[in-house]
Amino acid sequence: MAMQDFIRRKNIENLTKQLASGRLDEAQRDYAERRLAEELADERACSLTNARALEPVPDPAPC
């Protein structure tokens, strides 16, 4: 997972730089915006999954 997280962070960094540069045409900008949204959504999903994995398991309710 660590390698995927690293790649995701680098993708987000690179896409953000490309969008900030102002050098993309409309089609390139649209593509970069879509990819950035996907990478950010994946990052949020992984963060939520990891946070849930760290939560303690509740004790079963007494009968």
Side-chain angles (χ1 to χ4, degrees), residues 43-57:
E43 183 179 54
R44 281 190 297 271
C46 285
S47 293
L48 289 173
T49 300
N50 291 339
R52 286 188 193 124
L54 297 175
E55 290 178 3
V57 176

